[in-house]
Amino acid sequence: MILWPFGGTVRMRIGMALGYAGGFKETVAELVDHEKAGLDIVFVPEAYSFDAVSQMGYIAAVTERVRIASGILPIYSRTPTLLAMTAAGMDYVSEGRFVLGLGTSGPQVIEGFHGVPYTAPVGRTREIIEICRKVWRRERLEYEGRHYNLPLPEGAGTGLGKPLKLINHPVRDRIPVVVAAIGPKNVALAAELAEGWQPIFYLPERAAAVWGGPLAEGLARRDPGLGPLDVIAQAPLAIGDDVAGLREFVRPVLALYIGGMGARGRNFYNDLARRYGYEQEAERIQDLYLEGKKDEAAALVPAELLEKSSLIGPEGFVRDRIQALRESGVTTLNVTPLADTPGERVKLIERIRDLAS
């Protein structure tokens, strides 16, 4: 039974994230086997690697059933209407299987790699979602917002802009939107406006304390027509009596995010670790990481965080963690199978699907 602040029972979907770089075609060939094993949705990232859209189009061509989500497209690197057009195009080539995952990324990537000011992330996300939905409904696009005005107002361009509508008829006039968010204001926005919410390093025992208030605030303003909020939690996956040591492979990843994914005083993941109750550890991890002492920083990642944000351990442990995730509100489990061979990874997808059903 879902406890906070949701209600009812759900079937937990199984998702998986693709890797950032290298061996893409081989990874997609394996994805086809994961689809046959029961994978429900695949998330295709876009950091400062190859673009996600071309890869998602390739995936759409070689799969039949699995949903395809951008995980995520940064809101700053495309105009709102291009995001809407891209989503409609992806939904068309995938025959209605696309999910538009949006997020703000961070100042280092947006200002460093894209050369765009990192401003008003929450306000821009709201306006982008509203604009996308107008485009998908094929309305003539007229929008007056704080951050986006369509067409451009008088004096802001040539004055020749016209309110246009999308030429094509989309497969769906409401493509699902997932917002990746961990800050209170953006989480509230996701609960209000999006079909799904994707946090990171999800710790079910502390989720209510960290996000319960923002989620309740957003859900109070939510249009019932959007349906229940899909809560998407990520977790590395390995099942067995001798796999607990694999948690150590996650340690440097957590250290990277908590310590080095952002500047001092502007690291959203460090802030999250502090809100989880790891204030001293977060501060020291960041200090060491920014000093270049990455191994020392990784050694300080709390064992509790490694254990409870993972699905790595004996089957009984994994079953208990799934129950904790379900009771905290999770409806989609986004796993990273940790195994040496494609066949073993496929078996992990089959097993987690059975355990979560």
Side-chain angles (χ1 to χ4, degrees):
M1 185 70 76
I2 304 306
L3 298 182
W4 67 273
F6 311 91
T9 57
V10 295
R11 171 189 173 270
M12 190 177 284
R13 297 187 304 173
I14 303 301
M16 186 183 74
L18 254 60
Y20 277 114
F24 174 73
K25 291 185 178 180
E26 292 80 6
T27 301
V28 174
E30 187 175 324
L31 172 63
V32 174
D33 292 329
H34 290 312
E35 180 183 44
K36 294 175 182 175
L39 188 73
D40 293 298
I41 184 168
V42 60
F43 294 83
V44 183
E46 183 180 272
Y48 40 98
S49 54
F50 291 151
D51 78 289
V53 179
S54 58
Q55 298 180 71
M56 291 188 293
Y58 183 96
I59 291 170
V62 298
T63 57
E64 298 178 355
R65 179 192 57 81
V66 69
R67 278 172 276 195
I68 303 165
S70 53
I72 49 83
L73 295 183
I75 63 169
Y76 295 96
S77 56
R78 297 168 175 85
T79 66
T81 42
L82 180 55
L83 284 166
M85 293 163 63
T86 298
M90 274 302 310
D91 210 42
Y92 174 74
V93 299
S94 66
E95 298 181 316
R97 291 186 284 141
F98 182 64
V99 175
L100 177 60
L102 297 173
T104 60
S105 185
Q108 289 183 320
V109 174
I110 298 306
E111 297 186 355
F113 196 68
H114 294 290
V116 177
Y118 188 91
T119 59
V122 177
R124 290 183 184 277
T125 301
R126 175 181 293 278
E127 293 187 14
I128 285 169
I129 293 172
E130 291 173 350
I131 291 169
C132 282
R133 287 176 174 156
K134 289 174 72 74
V135 171
W136 299 332
R137 293 193 297 264
R138 297 192 71 244
E139 298 175 8
R140 291 200 178 276
L141 192 52
E142 295 181 276
Y143 187 88
E144 293 186 16
R146 183 173 180 181
H147 309 289
Y148 301 103
N149 285 276
L150 303 167
L152 278 176
E154 185 177 349
T158 65
L160 300 177
K162 295 177 60 178
L164 303 173
K165 65 180 179 180
L166 189 68
I167 293 173
N168 312 80
H169 289 260
V171 175
R172 294 178 291 176
D173 63 7
R174 203 189 84 204
I175 295 167
V177 174
V178 167
V179 173
I182 53 178
K185 292 182 179 179
N186 224 14
V187 170
L189 174 72
E192 176 189 352
L193 282 186
E195 278 82 3
W197 165 53
Q198 185 174 13
I200 195 170
F201 307 143
Y202 188 87
L203 198 58
E205 287 82 359
R206 304 192 187 185
V210 173
W211 291 307
L215 283 169
E217 177 187 334
L219 291 172
R221 298 192 296 263
R222 185 177 182 83
D223 181 348
L226 287 172
L229 181 68
D230 184 17
V231 180
I232 304 161
Q234 304 171 350
L237 170 66
I239 303 173
D241 294 331
D242 58 350
V243 300
L246 292 177
R247 295 172 194 158
E248 293 301 310
F249 287 101
V250 186
R251 186 180 290 277
V253 177
L254 286 168
L256 165 64
Y257 277 81
I258 296 170
M261 197 69 79
R264 196 184 304 278
R266 195 73 184 273
N267 181 324
F268 309 127
Y269 312 103
N270 190 278
D271 293 342
L272 176 59
R274 292 169 186 267
R275 296 204 303 275
Y276 274 159
Y278 305 119
E279 294 92 345
Q280 293 181 356
E281 295 92 334
E283 181 178 359
R284 189 65 183 136
I285 289 168
Q286 186 175 60
D287 287 343
L288 290 168
Y289 208 96
L290 296 179
E291 291 169 9
K293 300 175 182 178
K294 297 180 181 179
D295 291 341
E296 293 179 41
L300 293 181
V301 172
E304 180 188 49
L305 179 59
L306 279 174
E307 176 186 353
K308 291 189 174 181
S309 64
S310 81
L311 292 170
I312 299 174
E315 183 173 305
F317 169 84
V318 172
R319 193 186 299 274
D320 289 344
R321 297 315 298 159
I322 291 172
Q323 183 61 23
L325 289 161
R326 190 190 306 276
E327 289 179 351
S328 78
V330 171
T331 47
T332 296
L333 192 53
N334 194 20
V335 300
T336 303
L338 302 179
D340 291 331
T341 68
E344 290 172 328
R345 291 189 286 271
V346 168
K347 288 180 180 178
L348 281 173
I349 293 295
E350 292 175 336
R351 191 69 194 117
I352 198 67
R353 179 203 62 193
D354 292 342
L355 290 172
S357 64

